[in-house]
Amino acid sequence: MEQKNSFSPDETYQFGLSKLSEASQLQEFLPLYARYANTLSTENIILLWEQKTVPPEEYHTMEEWNVQNRKVIYGETSHLRLYAPEHYSGRTEEYNGRSMIALFHEKQTVQSDKFHRDTAEHPFSFVGRNVPALTDEMLLQSCVGTALSCMQTMHCGMPVFEESAEYVTLSDPVRYDPGGNRLYIAKGASYDDVAYGLLRETLFCKLYQPNQTYQVYEMHRFQASCAAQVILHQMGVTKSFPLSMPSNVVSAQEIEQCISSIPSGIESMRQDYTWIQSRLQEEQAAQISAPSKNKAQTISDGNTKRQEAEEHVSKKEPAADEIRKDSPTASNNWDEALDFQDLQHVSTAGRQRADAIGV
């Protein structure tokens, strides 16, 4: 183990955080975070963001280059150092009592058979998330599932569709009203913008507390908007959406708190989706068995009025936390998805197809 003093991981980390207080820098960082969140720690992702000059996959350890019949040129200094994961036993450098791995680019190596190994004894490969682009149908299902999640979390009523105005616009088409406990959606909005807005507002609902200060309100909206963007990036959307940046300058500590809260936001949505799917399966099973039971009741009672009453009840609007049978898995358009038909007839300006936004 070597001791290096010229590089300071703490300073590099703090400098990276301070840069992320700029909205443009944060927008560039979030896709990187979304790609490597499953394989790298948040601390390492920020260090990677601050140090990388080429795509991460082009960096390798000395051992990994040896497998490719290459050796690091004598005197070359690593331009990318990351904290070693737990139980890593390869070559490391020590900084303030913590082990770090030095990674090198191919330009820092030369061809050499002398150091060849058949396999890298201690590999450190970057494994990023690769997902296909979302279809309109998948985006629609995401919108419906997220709306259901919000309704379950807040026990609010069906979303209200509004004409584009000051409160909801085509560029920012979703807004949750804590006072009225309602979701408002702009008519004519595109699926991707609605998906982002719904995720942001649903995550905000989970953070919202009555009588909170405006500063806390702003930070919660900021955290929710960052988590929503990461979720969509992990689903395959490459488009960037407006971040709800606070009106005051965001400190490095607040940026760190925001980024560290993203995993819990993702997990809360995953739990909601799991709950929704289980309810859908339960209701689908109940629908299959319901016709035979209704028929048996009608024959035994000889009373068709009971059947008519049951049919009338089945047509009633569900309670706020109920999952309707015609939600995510069975829907291809807004007509069949929670009666969100207003978004079926979208405007030319609002509708954006996947190939037009580069996903």
Side-chain angles (χ1 to χ4, degrees):
M1 181 178 292
E2 298 181 0
Q3 176 71 37
K4 301 290 183 179
N5 297 315
S6 59
F7 169 74
S8 171
D10 291 337
E11 290 181 6
T12 304
Y13 176 77
Q14 290 299 324
F15 188 68
L17 283 177
S18 64
K19 285 174 60 177
L20 294 178
S21 62
E22 300 178 19
S24 60
Q25 295 289 318
L26 185 58
Q27 284 283 27
E28 292 182 18
F29 169 79
L30 291 177
L32 180 77
Y33 178 91
R35 180 167 173 78
Y36 294 104
N38 285 1
T39 56
L40 296 178
S41 67
T42 299
E43 192 175 22
N44 266 347
I45 297 175
I46 293 174
L47 287 175
L48 173 64
W49 158 255
E50 179 54 31
Q51 297 177 85
K52 75 178 182 65
T53 56
V54 297
E57 290 80 5
E58 296 183 20
Y59 291 103
H60 300 288
T61 64
M62 289 182 177
E63 292 94 334
E64 288 173 312
W65 282 122
N66 288 341
V67 173
Q68 301 181 43
N69 285 6
R70 304 192 71 86
K71 72 171 184 177
V72 175
I73 299 172
Y74 180 78
E76 281 288 336
T77 301
S78 169
H79 302 299
L80 176 61
R81 298 178 179 88
L82 300 177
Y83 288 112
E86 189 177 2
H87 305 307
Y88 185 83
S89 55
R91 182 185 178 91
T92 61
E93 301 172 350
E94 186 174 327
Y95 295 86
N96 300 325
R98 298 182 64 184
S99 297
M100 301 195 79
I101 300 170
L103 297 117
F104 299 87
H105 187 260
E106 184 177 8
K107 293 180 180 179
Q108 298 179 284
T109 68
V110 293
Q111 188 76 27
S112 175
D113 296 334
K114 181 179 179 181
F115 296 96
H116 173 75
R117 302 287 186 275
D118 291 332
T119 59
E121 297 176 11
H122 310 286
F124 185 84
S125 300
F126 290 95
V127 180
R129 179 188 298 266
N130 290 305
V131 292
L134 280 179
T135 63
D136 283 348
E137 180 181 352
M138 294 170 67
L139 276 170
L140 169 64
Q141 293 178 4
S142 173
C143 290
V144 175
T146 307
L148 286 167
S149 170
C150 184
M151 293 163 67
Q152 177 209 353
T153 299
M154 302 304 294
H155 302 287
C156 59
M158 295 286 285
V160 177
F161 289 87
E162 295 281 349
E163 295 293 341
S164 180
E166 182 178 356
Y167 193 63
V168 285
T169 64
L170 290 180
S171 60
D172 190 8
V174 183
R175 182 72 62 177
Y176 171 70
D177 174 24
N181 199 22
R182 282 281 190 175
L183 277 171
Y184 290 88
I185 303 176
K187 294 181 180 180
S190 62
Y191 289 156
D192 47 14
D193 287 333
V194 171
Y196 167 72
L198 284 170
L199 280 167
R200 180 197 63 205
E201 297 301 89
T202 301
L203 289 165
F204 171 71
C205 286
K206 296 172 182 289
L207 296 170
Y208 176 79
Q209 295 293 329
N211 303 320
Q212 61 189 0
T213 64
Y214 188 71
Q215 182 180 8
V216 173
Y217 170 88
E218 281 194 316
M219 284 307 301
H220 283 173
R221 291 194 65 79
F222 177 49
Q223 292 177 20
S225 67
C226 290
Q229 192 137 201
V230 168
I231 291 173
L232 283 182
H233 286 323
Q234 291 185 342
M235 291 170 62
V237 175
T238 59
K239 177 180 176 179
S240 293
F241 301 89
L243 294 174
S244 301
M245 296 292 290
S247 55
N248 297 325
V249 176
V250 184
S251 67
Q253 183 179 3
E254 289 171 330
I255 287 291
E256 184 177 38
Q257 179 183 356
C258 174
I259 295 173
S260 64
S261 71
I262 292 176
S264 61
I266 295 174
E267 180 58 28
S268 70
M269 294 305 303
R270 182 181 292 112
Q271 291 175 357
D272 282 1
Y273 289 157
T274 300
W275 183 88
I276 288 168
Q277 290 302 317
S278 65
R279 287 294 303 273
L280 285 171
Q281 293 172 1
E282 290 172 4
E283 291 203 1
Q284 289 170 356
Q287 290 165 25
I288 293 174
S289 60
S292 59
K293 291 182 179 179
N294 289 340
K295 183 176 180 181
Q297 279 186 331
T298 302
I299 294 175
S300 62
D301 294 345
N303 187 354
T304 58
K305 290 184 179 181
R306 172 174 294 185
Q307 184 179 17
E308 293 172 355
E310 289 173 349
E311 291 174 354
H312 175 72
V313 170
S314 67
K315 292 178 182 179
K316 290 174 63 178
E317 184 173 338
D321 59 347
E322 278 189 300
I323 302 301
R324 287 181 52 169
K325 65 179 182 297
D326 51 352
S327 45
T329 56
S331 303
N332 294 322
N333 57 57
W334 287 114
D335 279 331
E336 300 173 355
L338 285 176
D339 294 332
F340 288 175
Q341 65 272 17
D342 291 312
L343 286 192
Q344 182 186 15
H345 306 292
V346 294
S347 66
T348 303
R351 196 72 187 96
Q352 299 173 10
R353 299 225 17 112
D355 54 1
I357 61 174
V359 298

